[in-house]
mmCIF file with all atom_site columns, all heavy atoms in Angstrom:
data_model
loop_
_atom_site.group_PDB
_atom_site.id
_atom_site.type_symbol
_atom_site.label_atom_id
_atom_site.label_alt_id
_atom_site.label_comp_id
_atom_site.label_asym_id
_atom_site.label_entity_id
_atom_site.label_seq_id
_atom_site.pdbx_PDB_ins_code
_atom_site.Cartn_x
_atom_site.Cartn_y
_atom_site.Cartn_z
_atom_site.occupancy
_atom_site.B_iso_or_equiv
_atom_site.pdbx_formal_charge
_atom_site.auth_seq_id
_atom_site.auth_comp_id
_atom_site.auth_asym_id
_atom_site.auth_atom_id
_atom_site.pdbx_PDB_model_num
ATOM   1   N N   . TYR L 1 36  ? 25.631 -50.486 6.168  1.00 95.00 ? 36  TYR L N   1
ATOM   2   C CA  . TYR L 1 36  ? 24.951 -49.311 5.604  1.00 95.00 ? 36  TYR L CA  1
ATOM   3   C C   . TYR L 1 36  ? 25.909 -48.420 4.831  1.00 95.00 ? 36  TYR L C   1
ATOM   4   O O   . TYR L 1 36  ? 27.118 -48.434 5.077  1.00 95.00 ? 36  TYR L O   1
ATOM   5   C CB  . TYR L 1 36  ? 24.309 -48.486 6.735  1.00 95.00 ? 36  TYR L CB  1
ATOM   6   C CG  . TYR L 1 36  ? 25.326 -47.781 7.631  1.00 95.00 ? 36  TYR L CG  1
ATOM   7   C CD1 . TYR L 1 36  ? 25.668 -46.443 7.402  1.00 95.00 ? 36  TYR L CD1 1
ATOM   8   C CD2 . TYR L 1 36  ? 25.965 -48.446 8.676  1.00 95.00 ? 36  TYR L CD2 1
ATOM   9   C CE1 . TYR L 1 36  ? 26.602 -45.786 8.210  1.00 95.00 ? 36  TYR L CE1 1
ATOM   10  C CE2 . TYR L 1 36  ? 26.906 -47.802 9.473  1.00 95.00 ? 36  TYR L CE2 1
ATOM   11  C CZ  . TYR L 1 36  ? 27.227 -46.475 9.236  1.00 95.00 ? 36  TYR L CZ  1
ATOM   12  O OH  . TYR L 1 36  ? 28.162 -45.838 10.019 1.00 95.00 ? 36  TYR L OH  1
ATOM   13  N N   . ASN L 1 37  ? 25.357 -47.632 3.932  1.00 94.00 ? 37  ASN L N   1
ATOM   14  C CA  . ASN L 1 37  ? 26.101 -46.525 3.341  1.00 94.00 ? 37  ASN L CA  1
ATOM   15  C C   . ASN L 1 37  ? 25.562 -45.193 3.841  1.00 94.00 ? 37  ASN L C   1
ATOM   16  O O   . ASN L 1 37  ? 26.303 -44.218 3.925  1.00 94.00 ? 37  ASN L O   1
ATOM   17  C CB  . ASN L 1 37  ? 26.027 -46.562 1.799  1.00 94.00 ? 37  ASN L CB  1
ATOM   18  C CG  . ASN L 1 37  ? 26.822 -47.722 1.198  1.00 94.00 ? 37  ASN L CG  1
ATOM   19  O OD1 . ASN L 1 37  ? 26.352 -48.402 0.294  1.00 94.00 ? 37  ASN L OD1 1
ATOM   20  N ND2 . ASN L 1 37  ? 28.026 -47.952 1.690  1.00 94.00 ? 37  ASN L ND2 1
ATOM   21  N N   . ASP L 1 56  ? 30.153 -49.539 7.659  1.00 93.00 ? 56  ASP L N   1
ATOM   22  C CA  . ASP L 1 56  ? 29.868 -48.956 6.347  1.00 93.00 ? 56  ASP L CA  1
ATOM   23  C C   . ASP L 1 56  ? 31.009 -49.217 5.365  1.00 93.00 ? 56  ASP L C   1
ATOM   24  O O   . ASP L 1 56  ? 31.288 -48.388 4.510  1.00 93.00 ? 56  ASP L O   1
ATOM   25  C CB  . ASP L 1 56  ? 29.559 -47.462 6.464  1.00 93.00 ? 56  ASP L CB  1
ATOM   26  C CG  . ASP L 1 56  ? 30.736 -46.673 7.014  1.00 93.00 ? 56  ASP L CG  1
ATOM   27  O OD1 . ASP L 1 56  ? 31.750 -47.304 7.402  1.00 93.00 ? 56  ASP L OD1 1
ATOM   28  O OD2 . ASP L 1 56  ? 30.670 -45.440 7.052  1.00 93.00 ? 56  ASP L OD2 1
ATOM   29  N N   . TRP L 1 57  ? 31.661 -50.374 5.513  1.00 95.00 ? 57  TRP L N   1
ATOM   30  C CA  . TRP L 1 57  ? 32.730 -50.777 4.588  1.00 95.00 ? 57  TRP L CA  1
ATOM   31  C C   . TRP L 1 57  ? 33.859 -49.747 4.544  1.00 95.00 ? 57  TRP L C   1
ATOM   32  O O   . TRP L 1 57  ? 34.536 -49.597 3.537  1.00 95.00 ? 57  TRP L O   1
ATOM   33  C CB  . TRP L 1 57  ? 32.202 -50.990 3.158  1.00 95.00 ? 57  TRP L CB  1
ATOM   34  C CG  . TRP L 1 57  ? 31.283 -52.143 2.982  1.00 95.00 ? 57  TRP L CG  1
ATOM   35  C CD1 . TRP L 1 57  ? 31.646 -53.434 2.734  1.00 95.00 ? 57  TRP L CD1 1
ATOM   36  C CD2 . TRP L 1 57  ? 29.849 -52.137 3.000  1.00 95.00 ? 57  TRP L CD2 1
ATOM   37  N NE1 . TRP L 1 57  ? 30.518 -54.215 2.604  1.00 95.00 ? 57  TRP L NE1 1
ATOM   38  C CE2 . TRP L 1 57  ? 29.417 -53.447 2.761  1.00 95.00 ? 57  TRP L CE2 1
ATOM   39  C CE3 . TRP L 1 57  ? 28.885 -51.133 3.211  1.00 95.00 ? 57  TRP L CE3 1
ATOM   40  C CZ2 . TRP L 1 57  ? 28.061 -53.797 2.716  1.00 95.00 ? 57  TRP L CZ2 1
ATOM   41  C CZ3 . TRP L 1 57  ? 27.540 -51.478 3.167  1.00 95.00 ? 57  TRP L CZ3 1
ATOM   42  C CH2 . TRP L 1 57  ? 27.151 -52.784 2.929  1.00 95.00 ? 57  TRP L CH2 1
ATOM   43  N N   . GLN L 1 78  ? 36.144 -50.681 9.018  1.00 91.00 ? 78  GLN L N   1
ATOM   44  C CA  . GLN L 1 78  ? 36.712 -51.709 8.155  1.00 91.00 ? 78  GLN L CA  1
ATOM   45  C C   . GLN L 1 78  ? 37.841 -51.113 7.323  1.00 91.00 ? 78  GLN L C   1
ATOM   46  O O   . GLN L 1 78  ? 37.694 -50.028 6.761  1.00 91.00 ? 78  GLN L O   1
ATOM   47  C CB  . GLN L 1 78  ? 35.661 -52.279 7.203  1.00 91.00 ? 78  GLN L CB  1
ATOM   48  C CG  . GLN L 1 78  ? 36.238 -53.406 6.334  1.00 91.00 ? 78  GLN L CG  1
ATOM   49  C CD  . GLN L 1 78  ? 35.294 -53.881 5.247  1.00 91.00 ? 78  GLN L CD  1
ATOM   50  O OE1 . GLN L 1 78  ? 34.772 -53.111 4.462  1.00 91.00 ? 78  GLN L OE1 1
ATOM   51  N NE2 . GLN L 1 78  ? 35.071 -55.176 5.197  1.00 91.00 ? 78  GLN L NE2 1
ATOM   52  N N   . TRP L 1 80  ? 39.022 -51.536 4.163  1.00 94.00 ? 80  TRP L N   1
ATOM   53  C CA  . TRP L 1 80  ? 38.381 -52.182 3.003  1.00 94.00 ? 80  TRP L CA  1
ATOM   54  C C   . TRP L 1 80  ? 39.393 -52.858 2.101  1.00 94.00 ? 80  TRP L C   1
ATOM   55  O O   . TRP L 1 80  ? 39.183 -53.965 1.633  1.00 94.00 ? 80  TRP L O   1
ATOM   56  C CB  . TRP L 1 80  ? 37.592 -51.128 2.225  1.00 94.00 ? 80  TRP L CB  1
ATOM   57  C CG  . TRP L 1 80  ? 36.730 -51.679 1.131  1.00 94.00 ? 80  TRP L CG  1
ATOM   58  C CD1 . TRP L 1 80  ? 35.418 -52.042 1.219  1.00 94.00 ? 80  TRP L CD1 1
ATOM   59  C CD2 . TRP L 1 80  ? 37.131 -51.941 -0.227 1.00 94.00 ? 80  TRP L CD2 1
ATOM   60  N NE1 . TRP L 1 80  ? 34.981 -52.512 0.007  1.00 94.00 ? 80  TRP L NE1 1
ATOM   61  C CE2 . TRP L 1 80  ? 36.011 -52.458 -0.894 1.00 94.00 ? 80  TRP L CE2 1
ATOM   62  C CE3 . TRP L 1 80  ? 38.326 -51.784 -0.935 1.00 94.00 ? 80  TRP L CE3 1
ATOM   63  C CZ2 . TRP L 1 80  ? 36.043 -52.819 -2.242 1.00 94.00 ? 80  TRP L CZ2 1
ATOM   64  C CZ3 . TRP L 1 80  ? 38.354 -52.158 -2.278 1.00 94.00 ? 80  TRP L CZ3 1
ATOM   65  C CH2 . TRP L 1 80  ? 37.220 -52.668 -2.917 1.00 94.00 ? 80  TRP L CH2 1
ATOM   66  N N   . ASN L 1 107 ? 37.835 -56.276 2.457  1.00 98.00 ? 107 ASN L N   1
ATOM   67  C CA  . ASN L 1 107 ? 36.527 -56.700 1.968  1.00 98.00 ? 107 ASN L CA  1
ATOM   68  C C   . ASN L 1 107 ? 36.639 -57.564 0.711  1.00 98.00 ? 107 ASN L C   1
ATOM   69  O O   . ASN L 1 107 ? 37.030 -57.077 -0.344 1.00 98.00 ? 107 ASN L O   1
ATOM   70  C CB  . ASN L 1 107 ? 35.677 -55.468 1.639  1.00 98.00 ? 107 ASN L CB  1
ATOM   71  C CG  . ASN L 1 107 ? 34.215 -55.819 1.506  1.00 98.00 ? 107 ASN L CG  1
ATOM   72  O OD1 . ASN L 1 107 ? 33.583 -56.188 2.498  1.00 98.00 ? 107 ASN L OD1 1
ATOM   73  N ND2 . ASN L 1 107 ? 33.669 -55.719 0.307  1.00 98.00 ? 107 ASN L ND2 1
ATOM   74  N N   . GLU L 1 108 ? 36.300 -58.830 0.852  1.00 98.00 ? 108 GLU L N   1
ATOM   75  C CA  . GLU L 1 108 ? 36.321 -59.771 -0.278 1.00 98.00 ? 108 GLU L CA  1
ATOM   76  C C   . GLU L 1 108 ? 37.629 -59.681 -1.073 1.00 98.00 ? 108 GLU L C   1
ATOM   77  O O   . GLU L 1 108 ? 37.623 -59.407 -2.283 1.00 98.00 ? 108 GLU L O   1
ATOM   78  C CB  . GLU L 1 108 ? 35.092 -59.566 -1.183 1.00 98.00 ? 108 GLU L CB  1
ATOM   79  C CG  . GLU L 1 108 ? 33.794 -59.776 -0.428 1.00 98.00 ? 108 GLU L CG  1
ATOM   80  C CD  . GLU L 1 108 ? 32.547 -59.733 -1.314 1.00 98.00 ? 108 GLU L CD  1
ATOM   81  O OE1 . GLU L 1 108 ? 32.655 -59.401 -2.502 1.00 98.00 ? 108 GLU L OE1 1
ATOM   82  O OE2 . GLU L 1 108 ? 31.457 -60.045 -0.792 1.00 98.00 ? 108 GLU L OE2 1
ATOM   83  N N   . GLN L 1 114 ? 36.375 -56.707 -6.008 1.00 98.00 ? 114 GLN L N   1
ATOM   84  C CA  . GLN L 1 114 ? 36.344 -56.086 -4.678 1.00 98.00 ? 114 GLN L CA  1
ATOM   85  C C   . GLN L 1 114 ? 37.783 -55.734 -4.280 1.00 98.00 ? 114 GLN L C   1
ATOM   86  O O   . GLN L 1 114 ? 38.486 -55.152 -5.077 1.00 98.00 ? 114 GLN L O   1
ATOM   87  C CB  . GLN L 1 114 ? 35.617 -57.009 -3.699 1.00 98.00 ? 114 GLN L CB  1
ATOM   88  C CG  . GLN L 1 114 ? 34.114 -57.127 -4.010 1.00 98.00 ? 114 GLN L CG  1
ATOM   89  C CD  . GLN L 1 114 ? 33.318 -55.904 -3.567 1.00 98.00 ? 114 GLN L CD  1
ATOM   90  O OE1 . GLN L 1 114 ? 33.611 -55.265 -2.577 1.00 98.00 ? 114 GLN L OE1 1
ATOM   91  N NE2 . GLN L 1 114 ? 32.276 -55.558 -4.328 1.00 98.00 ? 114 GLN L NE2 1
ATOM   92  N N   . HIS L 1 176 ? 31.138 -63.738 3.934  1.00 99.00 ? 176 HIS L N   1
ATOM   93  C CA  . HIS L 1 176 ? 29.937 -63.261 3.240  1.00 99.00 ? 176 HIS L CA  1
ATOM   94  C C   . HIS L 1 176 ? 29.249 -64.461 2.608  1.00 99.00 ? 176 HIS L C   1
ATOM   95  O O   . HIS L 1 176 ? 29.910 -65.451 2.268  1.00 99.00 ? 176 HIS L O   1
ATOM   96  C CB  . HIS L 1 176 ? 30.311 -62.273 2.130  1.00 99.00 ? 176 HIS L CB  1
ATOM   97  C CG  . HIS L 1 176 ? 30.863 -60.976 2.634  1.00 99.00 ? 176 HIS L CG  1
ATOM   98  N ND1 . HIS L 1 176 ? 31.392 -60.017 1.805  1.00 99.00 ? 176 HIS L ND1 1
ATOM   99  C CD2 . HIS L 1 176 ? 30.955 -60.474 3.893  1.00 99.00 ? 176 HIS L CD2 1
ATOM   100 C CE1 . HIS L 1 176 ? 31.791 -58.973 2.532  1.00 99.00 ? 176 HIS L CE1 1
ATOM   101 N NE2 . HIS L 1 176 ? 31.549 -59.234 3.803  1.00 99.00 ? 176 HIS L NE2 1
ATOM   102 N N   . TYR L 1 178 ? 26.093 -65.385 -0.368 1.00 98.00 ? 178 TYR L N   1
ATOM   103 C CA  . TYR L 1 178 ? 24.966 -65.159 -1.273 1.00 98.00 ? 178 TYR L CA  1
ATOM   104 C C   . TYR L 1 178 ? 24.593 -66.518 -1.835 1.00 98.00 ? 178 TYR L C   1
ATOM   105 O O   . TYR L 1 178 ? 25.475 -67.270 -2.269 1.00 98.00 ? 178 TYR L O   1
ATOM   106 C CB  . TYR L 1 178 ? 25.336 -64.182 -2.407 1.00 98.00 ? 178 TYR L CB  1
ATOM   107 C CG  . TYR L 1 178 ? 25.563 -62.798 -1.853 1.00 98.00 ? 178 TYR L CG  1
ATOM   108 C CD1 . TYR L 1 178 ? 26.831 -62.405 -1.424 1.00 98.00 ? 178 TYR L CD1 1
ATOM   109 C CD2 . TYR L 1 178 ? 24.498 -61.918 -1.665 1.00 98.00 ? 178 TYR L CD2 1
ATOM   110 C CE1 . TYR L 1 178 ? 27.034 -61.158 -0.846 1.00 98.00 ? 178 TYR L CE1 1
ATOM   111 C CE2 . TYR L 1 178 ? 24.686 -60.673 -1.085 1.00 98.00 ? 178 TYR L CE2 1
ATOM   112 C CZ  . TYR L 1 178 ? 25.951 -60.306 -0.678 1.00 98.00 ? 178 TYR L CZ  1
ATOM   113 O OH  . TYR L 1 178 ? 26.134 -59.085 -0.093 1.00 98.00 ? 178 TYR L OH  1
ATOM   114 N N   . GLU L 1 208 ? 28.058 -59.919 5.431  1.00 98.00 ? 208 GLU L N   1
ATOM   115 C CA  . GLU L 1 208 ? 27.089 -59.712 4.352  1.00 98.00 ? 208 GLU L CA  1
ATOM   116 C C   . GLU L 1 208 ? 26.418 -61.052 4.139  1.00 98.00 ? 208 GLU L C   1
ATOM   117 O O   . GLU L 1 208 ? 27.100 -62.079 4.062  1.00 98.00 ? 208 GLU L O   1
ATOM   118 C CB  . GLU L 1 208 ? 27.753 -59.342 3.007  1.00 98.00 ? 208 GLU L CB  1
ATOM   119 C CG  . GLU L 1 208 ? 28.318 -57.951 2.921  1.00 98.00 ? 208 GLU L CG  1
ATOM   120 C CD  . GLU L 1 208 ? 28.893 -57.634 1.521  1.00 98.00 ? 208 GLU L CD  1
ATOM   121 O OE1 . GLU L 1 208 ? 28.526 -58.300 0.539  1.00 98.00 ? 208 GLU L OE1 1
ATOM   122 O OE2 . GLU L 1 208 ? 29.731 -56.729 1.445  1.00 98.00 ? 208 GLU L OE2 1
ATOM   123 N N   . PHE L 1 247 ? 22.701 -57.972 4.053  1.00 98.00 ? 247 PHE L N   1
ATOM   124 C CA  . PHE L 1 247 ? 23.017 -57.033 2.976  1.00 98.00 ? 247 PHE L CA  1
ATOM   125 C C   . PHE L 1 247 ? 21.715 -56.547 2.362  1.00 98.00 ? 247 PHE L C   1
ATOM   126 O O   . PHE L 1 247 ? 21.071 -57.297 1.652  1.00 98.00 ? 247 PHE L O   1
ATOM   127 C CB  . PHE L 1 247 ? 23.887 -57.716 1.921  1.00 98.00 ? 247 PHE L CB  1
ATOM   128 C CG  . PHE L 1 247 ? 24.369 -56.776 0.854  1.00 98.00 ? 247 PHE L CG  1
ATOM   129 C CD1 . PHE L 1 247 ? 25.564 -56.087 1.000  1.00 98.00 ? 247 PHE L CD1 1
ATOM   130 C CD2 . PHE L 1 247 ? 23.624 -56.572 -0.301 1.00 98.00 ? 247 PHE L CD2 1
ATOM   131 C CE1 . PHE L 1 247 ? 26.016 -55.214 0.014  1.00 98.00 ? 247 PHE L CE1 1
ATOM   132 C CE2 . PHE L 1 247 ? 24.078 -55.697 -1.285 1.00 98.00 ? 247 PHE L CE2 1
ATOM   133 C CZ  . PHE L 1 247 ? 25.270 -55.028 -1.123 1.00 98.00 ? 247 PHE L CZ  1
ATOM   134 N N   . MET L 1 248 ? 21.249 -55.319 2.604  1.00 98.00 ? 248 MET L N   1
ATOM   135 C CA  . MET L 1 248 ? 21.907 -54.390 3.480  1.00 98.00 ? 248 MET L CA  1
ATOM   136 C C   . MET L 1 248 ? 20.895 -53.402 4.002  1.00 98.00 ? 248 MET L C   1
ATOM   137 O O   . MET L 1 248 ? 19.724 -53.456 3.631  1.00 98.00 ? 248 MET L O   1
ATOM   138 C CB  . MET L 1 248 ? 23.062 -53.693 2.739  1.00 98.00 ? 248 MET L CB  1
ATOM   139 C CG  . MET L 1 248 ? 22.636 -52.938 1.500  1.00 98.00 ? 248 MET L CG  1
ATOM   140 S SD  . MET L 1 248 ? 24.089 -52.127 0.720  1.00 98.00 ? 248 MET L SD  1
ATOM   141 C CE  . MET L 1 248 ? 23.339 -51.575 -0.781 1.00 98.00 ? 248 MET L CE  1
HETATM 142 C C1  . BGC O 2 .   ? 31.312 -52.702 -1.450 1.00 57.33 ? 301 BGC O C1  1
HETATM 143 C C2  . BGC O 2 .   ? 31.253 -51.461 -0.614 1.00 57.33 ? 301 BGC O C2  1
HETATM 144 C C3  . BGC O 2 .   ? 29.882 -50.832 -0.725 1.00 57.33 ? 301 BGC O C3  1
HETATM 145 C C4  . BGC O 2 .   ? 28.842 -51.862 -0.393 1.00 57.33 ? 301 BGC O C4  1
HETATM 146 C C5  . BGC O 2 .   ? 27.425 -51.348 -0.453 1.00 57.33 ? 301 BGC O C5  1
HETATM 147 C C6  . BGC O 2 .   ? 30.210 -53.632 -1.077 1.00 57.33 ? 301 BGC O C6  1
HETATM 148 O O1  . BGC O 2 .   ? 30.208 -54.738 -1.915 1.00 57.33 ? 301 BGC O O1  1
HETATM 149 O O2  . BGC O 2 .   ? 32.540 -53.335 -1.276 1.00 57.33 ? 301 BGC O O2  1
HETATM 150 O O3  . BGC O 2 .   ? 32.244 -50.568 -1.030 1.00 57.33 ? 301 BGC O O3  1
HETATM 151 O O4  . BGC O 2 .   ? 29.773 -49.712 0.102  1.00 57.33 ? 301 BGC O O4  1
HETATM 152 O O5  . BGC O 2 .   ? 28.963 -52.990 -1.217 1.00 57.33 ? 301 BGC O O5  1
HETATM 153 O O6  . BGC O 2 .   ? 27.098 -50.796 -1.648 1.00 57.33 ? 301 BGC O O6  1
#
Side-chain angles (χ1 to χ4, degrees):
Y36 70 96
N37 290 136
D56 62 354
W57 293 274
Q78 183 188 52
W80 188 92
N107 196 67
E108 300 186 352
Q114 292 283 326
H176 292 173
Y178 292 90
E208 287 183 21
F247 186 90
M248 59 179 171

